[in-house]
């Protein structure tokens, strides 16, 4: 790890993500001389390549604006690079390297032939007009298009990149290359998108939770949950939790948290979906609209009492103090909807207090799994029915759960899902790399 730190100065997020994996697989790889001799882990910590580029666009007042763009192609040992694009002012090379690294193991866990990548820009879509977002996306894709392709690298959405952005990006790819092909996932149904892709990450996380509870002889029905975030992952997780008769007691954005004392109802959720996905409003507006909802400015959900906590916003949003509060408030399960939402210190607290943690690379893998299925549909120029995709997603999440339990079981019979996810995700990629020899 010291070597990883030295090689990646000022890249804290990347070092953190590598540290988690290295720590969890350390004992398991002892005795695997083939991995050691081939320097597998060391090789995995160097991305195959990073493309970095300038993105220039004009705002509505004709000012020329300059942004940075990246694509981190981390590892294609088991399939074409695959992973989302993030547009957010906090994006930098460290964040994208950590996300691409995580994605590699997550994609391996899905059982589908998907390598790992991630990309994005420090562009902030918030407060921009549709025309500005379109011009930015077109400029971004004008460079990115030469580095991606259906068998090479297939980007998708992430923070700040949803259906609108994917539409502009795909349109520009098609315009420049002249090819209509499955080069992006998360497309709308009208032009080659998949049923269930918008819902897949949030729904998949809840399917994973259901499996976790089942293996402890618990029912999901009747539980209470606190969620952070109010984007794609949080709102579809909330939708599935409500279907499973779980009370959703909070949602949030970077302004603060809404507390929903009686639990979110269908009508409120639909209203919030329109607010966030169509009107691009702020979560505090839900408190102005509904009596049972209160807004706490600048706060997070982690002080509220519940059975389940689901961080669904961003990395390192759940720190040690919050973890202590969660454990003290009766939280039994933490389900990571976001990527690496729990700091290393917070993770240590949760482990010590015996709170079960479903790690991001397992819990939120449903999104990329259905992206993989979107690629299959595009390749055969077909589109599958919603029920089939929901069944496949359910099966994939159950299979990931099974892999995590199997690899994460300790000598005393207890299960560490994070260790299990890291070992099971690592093994498939490592074995493929071994097969290719030294490269
Ligand atoms: P969205 O852009 O749809 O929503 C992001 C949400 O998180 C918003 O509510 C946003 O609030 C909040 N948020 C973002 N940054 C911060 C911050 N620094 N502090 C507090 N709140 C913040 O993104 P997604 O829902 O798609 O992604 C959420 C997380 O899930 C990310 O970690 C992403 O990597 C992960 N993920 C997403 C998948 C997908 O399929 N979309 C798949 C797997 C993982 P605000 O509007 O105020 O910024
Ligand atoms: O973090 C993730 O898994 C995603 N943002 C989804 C990636 C994808 O290719 O669907």
């Amino acid at each position: 790890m010291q070597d990883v730190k030295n090689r990646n100065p000022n890249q804290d997020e990347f070092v953190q993500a590598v540290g988690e994996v290295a720590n969890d697989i350390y004992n398991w790889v002892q005795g695997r001389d083939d991995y050691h001799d081939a320097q597998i882990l060391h090789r995995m910590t160097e991305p195959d390549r990073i493309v970095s580029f300038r993105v220039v666009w004009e705002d509505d007042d004709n000012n020329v604006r300059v942004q940075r763009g990246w694509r981190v192609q981390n590892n294609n040992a088991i399939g074409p690079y695959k992973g989302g694009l993030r547009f957010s002012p906090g994006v930098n090379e460290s964040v994208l390297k950590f996300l691409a690294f995580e994605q590699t193991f997550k994609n391996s866990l899905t059982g589908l032939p998907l390598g790992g990548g991630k990309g994005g820009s420090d562009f902030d879509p918030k407060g921009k007009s549709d025309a500005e977002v379109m011009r930015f996306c077109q400029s971004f894709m004008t460079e990115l298009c030469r580095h991606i392709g259906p068998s090479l690298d297939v980007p998708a959405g992430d923070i700040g990149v949803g259906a609108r952005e994917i539409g502009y990006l795909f349109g520009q790819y098609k315009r420049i290359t002249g090819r209509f092909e499955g080069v992006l996932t998360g497309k709308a149904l009208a032009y080659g998108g998949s049923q269930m892709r918008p819902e897949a990450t949030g729904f998949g996380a809840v399917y994973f939770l259901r499996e976790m509870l089942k293996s402890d002889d618990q029912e999901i029905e009747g539980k209470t949950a606190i969620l952070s975030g109010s984007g794609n992952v949080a709102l579809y997780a909330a939708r599935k939790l409500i279907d499973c008769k779980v009370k959703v007691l909070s949602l949030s954005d970077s302004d603060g948290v809404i507390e929903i004392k009686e639990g979110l109802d269908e009508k409120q959720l639909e209203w919030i979906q329109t607010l966030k996905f169509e009107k691009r409003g702020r979560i505090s507006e839900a408190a102005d609209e509904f009596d049972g909802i209160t807004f706490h400015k600048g706060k997070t959900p982690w002080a509220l009492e519940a059975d389940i906590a689901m961080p669904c916003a961003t990395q390192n949003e759940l720190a040690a103090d919050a973890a202590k509060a969660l454990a003290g408030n009766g939280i039994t399960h933490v389900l990571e909807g976001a990527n690496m939402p729990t700091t290393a210190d917070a993770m240590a607290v949760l482990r010590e207090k015996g709170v079960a943690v479903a790690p991001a690379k397992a819990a939120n893998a449903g999104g990329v799994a259905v992206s993989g299925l979107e690629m299959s549909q595009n390749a055969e120029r077909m589109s599958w029915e919603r029920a089939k995709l929901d069944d496949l997603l359910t099966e994939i999440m159950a299979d990931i759960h099974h892999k995590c339990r199997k690899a994460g079981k300790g000598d005393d019979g207890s299960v560490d899902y994070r260790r299990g996810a890291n070992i099971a995700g690592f093994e498939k990629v490592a074995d493929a790399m071994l097969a290719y020899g030294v490269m």
Side-chain angles (χ1 to χ4, degrees), residues 338-405:
N339 286 308
M340 204 170 73
T342 313
T343 65
D345 290 349
M347 190 63 84
V349 172
L350 296 174
R351 272 182 164 151
E352 186 206 316
K353 304 272 185 201
V355 177
V357 178
K361 54 175 79 68
N364 73 30
V368 76
V370 175
S371 277
L373 303 176
E374 182 172 334
M375 289 163 68
S376 304
Q377 293 168 78
N378 291 165
E380 62 175 33
R381 301 195 197 288
M382 294 286 285
S383 67
W384 305 341
E385 283 176 9
R386 191 177 163 82
K388 170 174 171 166
L389 283 150
D390 199 14
D391 287 350
L392 286 169
L393 174 63
T394 308
E395 269 171 41
I396 290 171
M397 296 314 294
D399 180 56
I400 297 174
H401 175 264
H402 173 74
K403 285 178 188 152
C404 293
R405 266 191 92 81

Side-chain angles (χ1 to χ4, degrees), residues 45 57 63 178 192-193 239 282 323 336:
T45 63
W57 58 286
N63 298 306
R239 145 82 37 223
R282 306 304 298 161
E336 295 188 329

Side-chain angles (χ1 to χ4, degrees), residues 182-234:
V183 72
L184 291 171
T185 61
K187 302 185 292 299
L189 292 178
Y191 58 93
S194 174
Q195 296 278 0
M196 288 298 294
R197 178 62 189 89
E199 297 89 342
T201 310
F203 279 24
V206 178
Y207 296 160
F208 192 93
L209 171 67
R210 214 164 49 187
E211 292 296 318
M212 268 177 114
L213 291 168
K214 207 168 28 171
S215 54
D216 287 338
D217 291 323
Q218 291 188 49
E219 290 282 327
I220 190 166
E221 186 174 336
K223 300 272 184 213
T224 52
I226 48 178
L227 275 64
S228 67
S230 50
N232 172 277
V233 180

Side-chain angles (χ1 to χ4, degrees), residues 19-292:
E20 286 186 8
V21 172
N23 184 54
D24 281 352
I25 65 168
Y26 185 80
N27 284 331
W28 179 80
V29 291
Q30 299 308 314
R32 287 297 307 256
D33 289 343
D34 48 353
Y35 291 160
H36 283 293
D37 293 347
Q39 292 281 306
I40 293 292
L41 186 57
H42 189 161
R43 280 157 60 182
M44 280 185 188
T45 63
E46 283 299 328
D48 288 357
R49 70 193 59 76
I50 302 174
V51 185
S52 141
F53 49 95
R54 182 180 66 240
V55 187
V56 185
W57 58 286
E58 262 183 72
D59 68 21
D60 287 344
D61 299 322
N62 297 112
N63 298 306
V64 173
R65 310 276 288 260
V66 183
Q67 239 77 48
R68 289 181 155 182
W70 291 269
R71 186 71 183 164
V72 179
Q73 297 182 328
N74 191 61
N75 187 303
N76 67 352
I78 63 167
Y81 304 107
K82 179 86 196 88
L85 296 170
R86 179 178 291 191
F87 292 169
S88 162
V91 165
N92 57 41
E93 212 172 285
S94 170
V95 167
L96 296 178
K97 276 171 70 180
F98 116 65
L99 288 163
F101 182 79
E102 287 281 295
Q103 194 83 45
T104 303
F105 303 102
K106 180 194 312 193
N107 293 3
S108 161
L109 282 172
T110 66
L112 301 172
L114 303 169
K118 201 88 187 190
S121 171
D122 56 4
F123 173 74
D124 186 359
K126 257 184 261 169
K128 305 287 190 302
S129 69
D130 287 350
E132 288 177 322
V133 171
M134 180 186 75
R135 288 194 292 272
F136 173 80
C137 287
Q138 291 180 342
S139 182
F140 184 86
M141 183 52 86
T142 301
E143 173 64 31
L144 186 69
C145 72
R146 67 184 82 198
H147 308 291
I148 60 176
S151 301
L152 170 62
D153 185 353
V154 183
D158 194 79
I159 292 177
V161 178
R164 173 183 60 172
E165 290 74 18
I166 293 290
Y168 294 144
L169 292 163
F170 185 75
Q172 183 73 350
Y173 178 88
K174 187 171 67 58
R175 178 197 204 181
I176 294 177
T177 64
R179 290 195 295 270
F180 191 108
E181 55 190 7
V183 72
L184 291 171
T185 61
K187 302 185 292 299
L189 292 178
Y191 58 93
S194 174
Q195 296 278 0
M196 288 298 294
R197 178 62 189 89
E199 297 89 342
T201 310
F203 279 24
V206 178
Y207 296 160
F208 192 93
L209 171 67
R210 214 164 49 187
E211 292 296 318
M212 268 177 114
L213 291 168
K214 207 168 28 171
S215 54
D216 287 338
D217 291 323
Q218 291 188 49
E219 290 282 327
I220 190 166
E221 186 174 336
K223 300 272 184 213
T224 52
I226 48 178
L227 275 64
S228 67
S230 50
N232 172 277
V233 180
L235 294 185
Y236 285 110
R239 145 82 37 223
K240 187 50 74 179
L241 288 169
I242 293 175
D243 290 350
C244 294
K245 303 201 164 37
V246 175
K247 265 192 187 176
V248 173
L249 302 179
S250 72
L251 290 167
S252 73
D253 60 22
S254 50
D255 296 339
V257 62
I258 55 165
E259 186 180 353
I260 313 130
K261 279 243 157 48
E262 298 303 317
L264 192 68
D265 66 31
E266 297 269 352
K267 193 172 134 231
Q268 292 165 335
L269 177 58
E270 267 171 38
W271 189 90
I272 292 172
Q273 279 185 315
T274 308
L275 171 79
K276 297 303 278 190
F277 295 149
E278 290 169 31
K279 299 185 181 154
R280 301 182 191 279
R282 306 304 298 161
I283 201 65
S284 60
E285 294 171 50
D288 304 332
E289 179 71 16
F290 297 104
D291 285 342

